[in-house]
C-alpha cells in the first residue's frame, strides 16, 4: 500500500510553527514527514529558512509514530560529509530509529553562502558519491581517515551511533543517475512520477527492489483552500518557482533570480501544474501518477503557511481517506 507523507516546508514557516505542523500531521494520520533543508527560500514571499536539523530534533521529541526524513540535504559544500554523518546519527537516536537521511547534489541557492563557488553538474555528482562513501564509512563505527579527490577526513569517529547506522535515500533524476547512485543508496528519491526511473532502479545491480526492501519516495505540491481563487493566488505568489524545473532551479543563486526567472509565469500556468482549491478528488487525481508509476511513498506539500492550519482542520483526514481508498 502506498504511504502518504507531509512536507515540513522550512521555506514557508518558522521553526515553532514547523514543529506544531509536524504534530498536527501525525495526529491527522500521515505515515511520514519530510523536511526541506534550505538556507534561502525560493521566493521572498515565502519568507523563512530556519535550520532544518534543529527543527527535526524538536520534531523527533514532539512526535511518536511518524517516520522522519530530510528531503533533501546536500552533504558537499555547506556541510562537510563528516558533519552530516554525525548529525544524522544523533537525529536517528533522538527519533528512535524513525529517521532516513535523504541526500542530493544540492542547489546554488543554498550552497553559495559558504563562498566556495558552484561546481558544474558532473563535479557535484562526483562530490556526492564521495560524500556518501564517507558517511557510510563513519556509520560503521570505526575510526575513519580519508584522503579523496574532494574531501579529507582526519581520524574521525561517530561516538553516538544508532545500531545499523542510518538508511540513506538519494535524489535521482534519470537512469544515468540511478546507475551511479542506486548501488550507494537504500531508497530512491524523485520529484517526477516516472515509471522508467523505478524500472531503472529495479534493473540496477546492487539495489533492492522497490517495494521489497527499497522505497521510491516522491513529492507533490498541493494548494488546498476553501476558495479556489485564493488557492491559485497563493500558489502563484509562493510556488511559481516550481515552473522552472530542477535543471534551472539548481543553478539560480538568489530569491531575486527566481523572481526574475518566473516573472512571466501566470496564475493559470501554476494552477495547471498544482491542484488548487477545495476539490479533494482533484488532488487525488493529481497524486495518482505516483502510485501508478510504482512509488511506495508520496509526500504532500501544502503551499503557503497561511493555509496549513485550515488544511489540517478541514481537509487532511478526509484527503488521506480518499488517497488510501484510491491507491488500494
Amino acid at each position: 500500500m502506498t504511504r502518504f507523507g507531509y512536507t515540513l516546508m522550512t521555506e514557508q514557516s518558522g521553526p515553532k510553527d514547523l514543529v506544531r505542523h509536524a504534530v498536527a500531521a501525525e495526529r491527522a494520520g500521515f505515515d511520514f514527514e519530510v523536511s526541506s533543508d534550505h538556507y534561502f527560500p525560493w521566493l521572498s514571499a515565502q519568507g523563512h529558512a530556519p535550520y532544518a536539523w534543529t527543527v527535526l530534533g524538536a520534531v523527533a521529541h514532539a512526535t511518536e509514530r511518524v517516520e522522519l526524513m530530510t528531503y533533501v540535504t546536500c552533504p558537499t559544500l555547506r556541510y562537510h560529509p563528516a558533519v552530516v554523518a554525525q548529525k544524522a546519527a544523533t537525529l536517528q537516536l533522538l527519533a528512535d530509529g524513525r529517521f532516513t537521511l535523504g541526500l542530493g547534489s544540492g542547489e546554488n541557492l543554498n550552497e553559495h553562502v559558504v563562498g566556495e563557488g558552484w561546481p558544474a553538474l558532473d563535479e557535484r555528482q562526483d562530490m556526492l558519491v564521495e560524500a556518501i562513501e564517507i558517511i557510510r564509512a563513519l556509520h560503521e563505527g570505526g575510526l575513519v581517515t580519508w584522503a579523496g579527490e574532494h574531501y579529507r577526513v582526519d581520524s574521525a569517529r561517530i561516538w553516538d551511533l544508532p545500531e545499523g547506522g542510518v538508511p540513506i535515500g538519494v535524489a535521482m533524476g534519470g537512469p544515468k543517475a540511478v546507475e551511479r547512485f542506486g548501488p550507494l543508496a537504500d531508497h530512491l528519491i524523485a520529484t517526477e512520477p516516472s515509471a522508467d526511473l523505478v524500472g531503472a532502479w529495479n534493473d540496477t545491480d546492487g539495489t533492492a527492489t522497490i517495494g521489497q526492501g527499497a522505497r521510491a519516495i516522491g513529492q507533490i505540491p498541493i494548494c488546498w483552500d476553501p476558495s479556489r481563487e485564493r488557492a491559485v493566488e497563493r500558489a502563484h505568489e509562493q510556488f511559481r518557482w516550481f515552473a522552472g524545473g530542477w535543471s534551472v532551479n539548481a543553478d539560480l543563486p538568489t530569491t531575486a533570480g527566481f523572481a526574475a526567472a518566473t516573472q512571466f509565469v501566470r496564475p493559470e500556468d501554476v494552477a495547471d501544474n498544482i491542484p488548487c482549491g477545495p476539490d479533494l478528488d482533484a488532488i487525488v487525481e493529481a497524486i495518482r501518477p505516483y502510485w501508478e508509476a510504482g512509488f511506495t511513498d508520496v509526500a504532500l506539500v501544502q503551499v503557503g503557511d497561511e493555509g496549513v492550519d485550515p488544511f489540517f482542520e478541514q481537509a487532511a483526514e478526509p484527503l488521506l481517506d480518499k488517497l488510501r481508498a484510491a491507491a488500494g
Side-chain angles (χ1 to χ4, degrees):
M1 179 175 289
T2 309
R3 305 190 323 152
F4 297 99
Y6 181 78
T7 301
L8 302 171
M9 285 288 288
T10 61
E11 303 81 15
Q12 69 179 24
S13 301
K16 288 188 175 181
D17 283 335
L18 288 165
V19 176
R20 188 169 55 80
H21 298 162
V23 172
E26 181 174 65
R27 186 182 302 122
F30 283 94
D31 299 303
F32 65 100
E33 299 176 10
V34 306
S35 173
S36 54
D37 183 357
H38 271 223
Y39 204 94
F40 271 67
W42 285 284
L43 294 167
S44 297
Q46 292 178 303
H48 293 277
Y51 185 53
W53 290 87
T54 305
V55 172
L56 282 168
V59 168
H61 264 232
T63 59
E64 297 178 355
R65 174 188 56 80
V66 286
E67 295 182 16
L68 304 175
M69 182 178 184
T70 47
Y71 200 104
V72 292
T73 282
C74 176
T76 61
L77 287 170
R78 190 165 38 118
Y79 308 136
H80 190 284
V83 175
V84 174
Q86 183 192 32
K87 58 190 178 182
T90 299
L91 185 53
Q92 183 71 301
L93 291 170
L94 289 171
D96 294 321
R98 292 182 285 139
F99 177 63
T100 296
L101 176 61
L103 299 175
S105 57
E107 298 168 81
N108 196 8
L109 180 68
N110 306 300
E111 308 308 314
H112 80 272
V113 298
V114 294
E116 294 295 325
W118 183 235
L121 177 60
D122 286 347
E123 184 177 359
R124 298 200 304 268
Q125 292 190 343
D126 290 343
M127 295 170 74
L128 180 57
V129 167
E130 192 171 331
I132 295 170
E133 291 171 345
I134 291 169
I135 293 167
R136 292 286 198 193
L138 284 164
H139 283 175
E140 290 177 0
L143 196 67
V144 174
T145 294
W146 182 281
E149 182 179 352
H150 299 286
Y151 303 105
R152 292 190 62 86
V153 178
D154 185 8
S155 302
R157 177 185 170 186
I158 306 299
W159 288 88
D160 291 280
L161 188 67
E163 185 176 351
V166 181
I168 293 176
V170 178
M172 307 176 203
K176 289 184 178 179
V178 171
E179 183 179 354
R180 187 168 199 193
F181 293 106
L184 300 174
D186 299 299
H187 308 296
L188 167 68
I189 297 172
T191 57
E192 299 288 340
S194 170
D196 290 341
L197 201 60
V198 172
W201 172 283
N202 287 336
D203 290 340
T204 298
D205 290 339
T207 60
T209 301
I210 298 294
Q212 299 177 30
R215 298 157 59 191
I217 306 157
Q219 186 183 61
I220 184 171
I222 66 171
C223 194
W224 180 89
D225 195 281
S227 164
R228 186 175 189 278
E229 180 180 2
R230 177 57 192 138
V232 172
E233 178 185 350
R234 186 167 71 242
H236 178 258
E237 176 190 57
Q238 297 199 19
F239 234 77
R240 66 183 183 274
W241 62 269
F242 198 74
W246 289 112
S247 60
V248 174
N249 294 347
D251 288 326
L252 294 175
T254 63
T255 53
F258 277 90
T262 58
Q263 61 182 311
F264 299 116
V265 177
R266 304 168 301 171
E268 54 265 38
D269 298 327
V270 175
D272 285 342
N273 290 282
I274 297 174
C276 295
D279 188 344
L280 298 184
D281 291 327
I283 295 174
V284 170
E285 290 310 303
I287 299 169
R288 179 183 298 275
Y290 279 93
W291 67 74
E292 290 184 342
F295 280 69
T296 58
D297 300 71
V298 187
L300 279 58
V301 179
Q302 166 61 13
V303 174
D305 182 74
E306 71 179 66
V308 173
D309 286 338
F311 171 74
F312 283 125
E313 291 164 3
Q314 302 175 50
E317 292 185 32
L319 176 59
L320 284 170
D321 288 342
K322 285 178 175 289
L323 284 168
R324 287 168 178 146

